[in-house]
Amino acid sequence: MTTATPGQEDLGLGPALERGPALARGGRAAWRFARLQPGGLFGIIVILMVVVAAIFAPYLKTIGEGERDVRRIALAEGRQLDSTGYLQPPNSDWWFGTSSAGQDMWSRVIYGARPALIIGVGSVGIAMTVAVVLALAMGFLKGSVDAILLRLLETGIAMPGILWLILFTTAIERSLPVLVVAVALSFAPLTTLVLRGNVLQEASTAYVEAARVIGASNARIMLRHILPNLLPLAIVNASIIVPAAIMAEAGLAFIGFGLPPPAPSWGVDIGPSARAYFYTAWWLPIFPGIALSLTVLAFNFLGDSLRDVLDPRLRGSGLI
């Protein structure tokens, strides 16, 4: 407990003094992370920019979700345009130009951050939840539970991920919730096996045996002792899978199985409906491609930095 000097109670300085050291430690940790992990700092900055763009898209000089376009403006003015007339290069009115349908590419790039983040973060959240639960059940309970789930996971891993995504989206529908679930299920089996190995390692340690000796239940051992040691590895794996999930959605859209046009999506904007105009309209693949590449690169950098910070085997290496 902090000893207060006379008058501190009246000034309300007691809680501030108690928070001071914690804030100072947090500031020093943030500065050390920024100094030793510049890639992670770059990743955080870019990810924050993408999140801000996704949340405040209506206020960033966008036109709806890119659906009010050059074509509608021309029709309102009584002018008739063909697909060539709809294509407008970047200028003061259309910062990123327009698409072959006359859609504002700036608006589509900004609104395209929403499905990218929803699919990336949402699918990984589902996949990691499923993986942690199954890994704890397999690695700790063992026996027939482990054997049955292991065979099922190996069957799932044997099917190529892109084939699974195509079959899933074709059989149901091409919508955002379906894509989130499909991408999550495609990453869950391999992630479960990775976490299962860590659970098996933790379950054989001395502190777990000691917990059993003193009568701790299986549920308490899993939740109180093994799960906290599993979470750093799960966080690192999640940060690595997020860019892969974003690329999975873009890959599906690139071959025509992603979100249906005219939904705003970076993958859709470099997909089959736009590729016919790439030679005559250079801006069509450039701006969505840059947004997609920077987002994926930022998550990769952040994942590498989190691995360096959270991996106990790297302690003392000078990376953290």
Side-chain angles (χ1 to χ4, degrees):
M1 175 182 290
T2 304
T3 302
T5 58
Q8 280 184 352
E9 294 80 4
D10 297 334
L11 296 175
L13 295 179
L17 290 178
E18 292 179 0
R19 289 193 300 267
L23 293 175
R25 288 195 300 272
R28 287 195 297 269
W31 168 248
R32 182 175 177 83
F33 179 86
R35 181 168 55 88
L36 296 179
Q37 301 289 343
L41 179 62
F42 167 80
I44 291 174
I45 293 173
V46 172
I47 292 170
L48 287 177
M49 292 173 62
V50 174
V51 171
V52 169
I55 295 175
F56 298 102
Y59 308 101
L60 299 178
K61 201 180 180 297
T62 55
I63 304 176
E65 291 194 359
E67 305 309 319
R68 280 183 53 202
D69 48 36
V70 173
R71 176 179 55 193
R72 298 185 182 184
I73 294 174
L75 292 176
E77 295 174 352
R79 296 183 292 117
Q80 294 293 330
L81 297 175
D82 57 16
S83 60
T84 304
Y86 295 148
L87 288 170
Q88 299 291 325
N91 52 55
S92 58
D93 294 324
W94 313 99
W95 291 352
F96 286 179
T98 60
S99 68
S100 60
Q103 295 168 316
D104 177 27
M105 290 302 296
W106 164 258
S107 299
R108 291 187 62 80
V109 169
I110 296 298
Y111 276 98
R114 291 184 172 182
L117 291 177
I118 291 173
I119 291 174
V121 177
S123 62
V124 170
I126 296 174
M128 295 309 301
T129 302
V130 172
V132 168
V133 172
L134 292 181
L136 287 172
M138 296 171 65
F140 191 76
L141 300 179
K142 302 180 182 178
S144 59
V145 174
D146 182 44
I148 295 172
L149 291 177
L150 189 58
R151 298 291 83 79
L152 292 175
L153 293 176
E154 289 173 347
T155 303
I157 294 173
M159 178 180 291
I162 190 66
L163 179 59
W164 160 257
L165 292 174
I166 291 174
L167 291 175
F168 198 92
T169 54
T170 303
I172 303 179
E173 62 176 338
R174 293 158 57 189
S175 64
L176 193 59
V178 170
L179 282 175
V180 170
V181 175
V183 174
L185 295 180
S186 68
F187 285 106
L190 185 58
T191 306
T192 301
L193 291 183
V194 172
L195 298 181
R196 170 182 173 270
N198 189 263
V199 173
L200 289 173
Q201 181 180 358
E202 293 294 329
S204 61
T205 55
Y207 72 87
V208 171
E209 295 297 332
R212 284 198 184 97
V213 169
I214 63 176
S217 64
N218 289 338
R220 179 176 176 81
I221 293 174
M222 283 193 293
L223 299 178
R224 176 74 175 176
H225 300 290
I226 295 181
L227 182 59
N229 291 320
L230 186 65
L231 288 180
L233 180 62
I235 293 172
V236 172
N237 276 272
S239 63
I240 295 174
I241 296 174
V242 168
I246 295 174
M247 287 299 296
E249 184 274 331
L252 280 176
F254 186 78
I255 60 178
F257 290 94
L259 294 174
S265 165
W266 299 333
V268 170
D269 289 332
I270 58 177
S273 61
R275 285 202 294 271
Y277 301 93
F278 283 179
Y279 288 106
T280 56
W282 58 266
W283 58 90
L284 293 182
I286 291 296
F287 296 114
I290 289 176
L292 177 62
S293 301
L294 281 178
T295 303
V296 170
L297 185 65
F299 275 108
N300 279 326
F301 279 171
L302 179 61
D304 290 341
S305 297
L306 289 178
R307 181 202 61 198
D308 295 340
V309 170
L310 297 176
D311 193 340
R313 294 170 297 181
L314 296 176
R315 304 225 180 252
S317 63
L319 295 174
I320 58 177

